[in-house]
Amino acid sequence: MPLTNGDAPMGSSQLTPEKVALAYKTALDVYCHQNANGDGLDAETLLDSKINGGLTYNDFLVLPGYIGFAAADVALDTPVTKRISLKTPLVSSPMDTVTEHSMAIHLALLGGLGVIHHNCSAEDQAEMVRKVKRFENGFILDPVVLSPSTTVGEAKALKEKWGFGGFPVTESGRLRSALIGMITTRDIQFHPNPEDPVTAVMSTDLVTAPSGTTLTEANAVLSKSKKGKLPIVDPANNNLVSLLSRSDLMKNLHYPLASKLPHSKQLICAAAIGTRPEDKERLRILAEAGLDIVVLDSSQGNSIFQIEMIKYIKEHHPGLDVIGGNVVTTAQAASLIAAGVDGLRIGMGSGSACITQEVMAVGRPQAASVFNVSKFAAKFGVPCIADGGIQNVGHIVKGLALGASTVMMGGLLAGTTESPGNYFVSREGQLVKAYRGMGSIDAMEDKKAGVATKTSKASNAGTARYFSEGDRLLVAQGVSGSVLDRGSVTKFVPYLLAGLQHSLQDIGVKSLVELRRGVREGMVRFELRTVSAQAEGNVHGLHSFDKKLYS
């Protein structure tokens, strides 16, 4: 008998006094019988433009599922192209205020991928690619080798150029020549005469390993020695074959998720190019520098220029993976898939510094774009990148839930230490960094990509991306501004990943593969958000608050 309060009539405290309450142990059976399709909406219904219009990330939520595992158990492995997978689904945008070699290196170390911008000369871009590829290695198959005639001053200059100071010295100054010594930073740092040959200061008491030694065995030898480098030599003639670095061994320990090629153990590097004829020469230089993935950078990817460039790359650089775009419709995607792309970039006008939708009246809301294009591309095994509109962890989750295998971020990473540019103090006294869209006038008039001539606009990444090379009057499709300091990506990216793992835990899936399958099969459900619901889901009703995202 239910207990009542005071003189309340007997039974009035029951929710439905006219009905007998069901046994609580039958709750799951009753739910399954009455809710065969589950709560909320499936993705198909949610993203049906005829019913709900074009949606973006803030217009819906993912409904929670059942938690039966720890957030740390959630796997974030995902493909970025047909052949290359990453440990984490984060990619940085090829913008000149977002990604150069520092961002590409640190994002790769954390399991993601940095796409180096092309608003610079081909030589400068190739130099950034080389810095990424040389930052971490397994066996270094093309080490910088010195000859006996190299001077101490030249060795110091090489250290400044490459950022490391350990060089093998061989008889001919080339690989596969007899090893005679090693030069380290300590050998040359305080040597008074820069004209002396390196043979006067090099170390000859070397620890080496024979060719054929496995990476595990070589790491064991290196860890037991007190040397910084381990030369791998041919035991028959003492010729240098390759090199192993102690710093790379430490990086393996500190960055277990690093995006690396399985054969060379080098960091995976991507870079953007345009679709102009001169970009074929840029691509050749980048390929020689060791590029792994080329991203064709265009605001509207469904063009004859991009289709021909894809076919050219597949014919002349078959070892390179090609990511095409940008696209927002299945018709656009079909053209690029048929041309042979290994991945697609989805988004048009959804970036924080982009005004394409406003100015050109062309584009598509990002959620609708990601869902429709990725669903079509999945039929051909082509992974998709959700590019644009990512403002927080929740947007990352939603982009991945709608079918993208990775998300690309610009403004979210622009304020980090590793992005290009300098910090400055805003009028409000806050520490900020400059950030601009590649369609902004500032970016399209930047002369870094070529010499300042009447045709310099043709060399600019901004004008090429928006097909404005020949325009006498530039029409902006982006803006210039600033973003708040976010600290280093080495702290910010782990926060994003931890948030992503906790979100998938709330949804009740243990991997991105399981998330995509759950959405496809209608097991992961969604709910539309009204304007009032969006206001309710944000901070409200407080006089003041401090929104600290992580510690």
Side-chain angles (χ1 to χ4, degrees):
M1 177 182 296
L3 298 177
T4 60
N5 183 23
D7 296 328
M10 184 67 68
S12 64
S13 62
Q14 296 184 32
L15 293 175
T16 53
E18 71 279 2
K19 294 182 180 181
V20 177
L22 300 177
Y24 70 90
K25 290 186 178 180
T26 65
L28 291 175
D29 293 333
V30 172
Y31 168 78
C32 292
H33 177 71
Q34 294 183 352
N35 298 274
N37 296 324
D39 292 319
L41 307 171
D42 59 45
E44 288 281 354
T45 305
L46 174 76
L47 275 303
D48 189 335
S49 298
K50 296 178 181 178
I51 299 174
N52 299 319
L55 301 184
T56 190
Y57 295 141
N58 285 336
D59 294 326
F60 67 94
L61 288 172
V62 187
L63 296 185
Y66 171 74
I67 297 178
F69 50 89
D73 294 336
V74 174
L76 300 178
D77 305 63
T78 190
V80 68
T81 68
K82 290 178 180 178
R83 296 186 292 187
I84 297 177
S85 292
L86 307 175
K87 294 291 185 183
T88 61
L90 305 183
V91 182
S92 67
S93 179
M95 303 170 72
D96 62 5
T97 51
V98 178
T99 310
E100 290 188 347
H101 63 276
S102 181
M103 179 67 74
I105 287 170
H106 287 89
L107 204 53
L109 288 174
L110 295 166
L113 179 70
V115 184
I116 297 172
H117 75 85
H118 61 118
N119 201 25
C120 57
S121 69
E123 291 73 20
D124 287 346
Q125 191 181 18
E127 183 65 20
M128 287 188 268
V129 171
R130 279 189 284 269
K131 287 180 178 179
V132 176
K133 300 304 292 183
R134 286 187 179 274
F135 186 81
E136 183 173 355
N137 300 273
F139 289 114
I140 305 171
L141 303 178
D142 58 343
V144 179
V145 182
L146 308 185
S147 71
S149 61
T150 304
T151 66
V152 171
E154 290 170 335
K156 288 182 178 180
L158 286 172
K159 179 185 181 301
E160 289 297 319
K161 177 181 179 180
W162 294 112
F164 55 86
F167 306 109
V169 183
T170 65
E171 288 182 348
S172 68
R174 298 178 181 177
L175 197 64
R176 304 196 179 279
S177 176
L179 179 69
I180 60 175
M182 286 287 301
I183 281 289
T184 67
T185 301
R186 291 188 298 271
D187 296 326
I188 61 176
Q189 190 171 19
F190 300 112
H191 190 73
N193 188 359
E195 299 302 322
D196 285 347
V198 291
T199 51
V201 294
M202 70 181 183
S203 302
T204 56
D205 180 20
L206 306 178
V207 176
T208 64
S211 56
T213 301
T214 66
L215 184 60
T216 302
E217 293 169 342
N219 278 330
V221 174
L222 191 59
S223 63
K224 291 178 182 178
S225 73
K226 296 182 180 181
K227 306 294 185 181
K229 297 286 192 296
L230 178 67
I232 309 299
V233 298
D234 185 339
N237 48 27
N238 202 43
N239 284 352
L240 180 67
V241 175
S242 61
L243 195 67
L244 195 68
S245 171
R246 177 179 289 274
S247 63
D248 290 329
L249 176 59
M250 299 306 297
K251 291 166 191 171
N252 288 334
L253 295 174
H254 294 153
Y255 298 102
L257 299 178
S259 304
K260 295 185 287 188
L261 296 174
H263 56 282
S264 69
K265 303 300 180 183
Q266 291 180 321
L267 295 179
I268 298 172
C269 184
I273 65 170
T275 56
R276 304 158 298 190
E278 56 265 33
D279 283 302
K280 295 176 181 178
E281 175 61 17
R282 178 184 288 265
L283 179 62
R284 182 191 65 79
I285 296 172
L286 295 176
E288 290 178 353
L291 187 67
D292 303 302
I293 301 172
V294 59
V295 177
L296 299 181
D297 193 26
S298 175
S299 63
Q300 212 283 52
N302 189 21
S303 69
I304 185 63
F305 313 110
Q306 183 157 152
I307 291 171
E308 289 181 349
M309 181 64 83
I310 293 167
K311 294 177 179 179
Y312 173 85
I313 296 171
K314 285 300 176 182
E315 179 181 353
H316 294 87
H317 301 278
L320 281 177
D321 280 17
V322 185
I323 295 177
N326 280 35
V327 298
V328 293
T329 69
T330 54
Q332 289 177 297
S335 297
L336 303 189
I337 292 171
V341 292
D342 302 295
L344 285 172
R345 220 171 134 195
I346 304 172
M348 189 174 185
S350 56
S352 60
C354 185
I355 56 174
T356 295
Q357 293 182 12
E358 172 191 342
V359 175
M360 301 299 164
V362 177
R364 195 177 195 182
Q366 187 67 348
S369 302
V370 172
F371 179 73
N372 287 287
V373 173
S374 60
K375 181 178 69 172
F376 178 78
K379 298 177 181 179
F380 307 92
V382 177
C384 293
I385 302 172
D387 175 21
I390 303 295
Q391 300 173 25
N392 50 50
V393 177
H395 290 168
I396 295 174
V397 175
K398 292 174 182 179
L400 296 172
L402 295 181
S405 61
T406 56
V407 296
M408 180 172 278
M409 300 169 291
L412 201 61
L413 297 177
T416 60
T417 308
E418 289 75 14
S419 65
N422 298 316
Y423 287 105
F424 62 94
V425 178
S426 69
R427 295 177 181 176
E428 294 77 21
Q430 296 175 303
L431 191 62
V432 297
K433 243 184 180 182
Y435 174 58
R436 66 188 187 187
M438 294 307 293
S440 65
I441 296 298
D442 285 349
M444 289 196 287
E445 289 184 338
D446 198 310
K447 300 299 190 295
K448 287 186 295 185
V451 296
T453 66
K454 292 181 180 180
T455 60
S456 61
K457 276 193 279 188
S459 301
N460 182 281
T463 55
R465 174 176 170 77
Y466 294 93
F467 303 100
S468 301
E469 303 99 315
D471 293 355
R472 296 180 61 186
L473 177 68
L474 294 175
V475 178
Q477 294 190 48
V479 300
S480 299
S482 61
V483 290
L484 287 173
D485 169 43
R486 295 188 184 275
S488 173
V489 293
T490 58
K491 291 186 177 181
F492 185 61
V493 167
Y495 150 71
L496 296 177
L497 297 177
L500 178 55
Q501 287 180 308
H502 278 279
S503 178
L504 265 61
Q505 181 192 40
D506 284 343
I507 296 170
V509 295
K510 292 185 70 174
S511 68
L512 294 178
V513 173
E514 193 175 330
L515 174 65
R516 287 190 286 267
R517 181 170 62 247
V519 172
R520 188 170 60 249
E521 295 177 355
M523 301 301 293
V524 173
R525 311 290 288 183
F526 302 86
E527 193 72 271
L528 277 169
R529 299 173 84 190
T530 63
V531 174
S532 297
Q534 293 182 37
E536 178 188 65
N538 286 311
V539 179
H540 59 279
L542 299 183
H543 171 66
S544 64
F545 64 92
D546 181 19
K547 193 173 183 179
K548 188 177 182 180
L549 296 177
Y550 61 94
S551 62

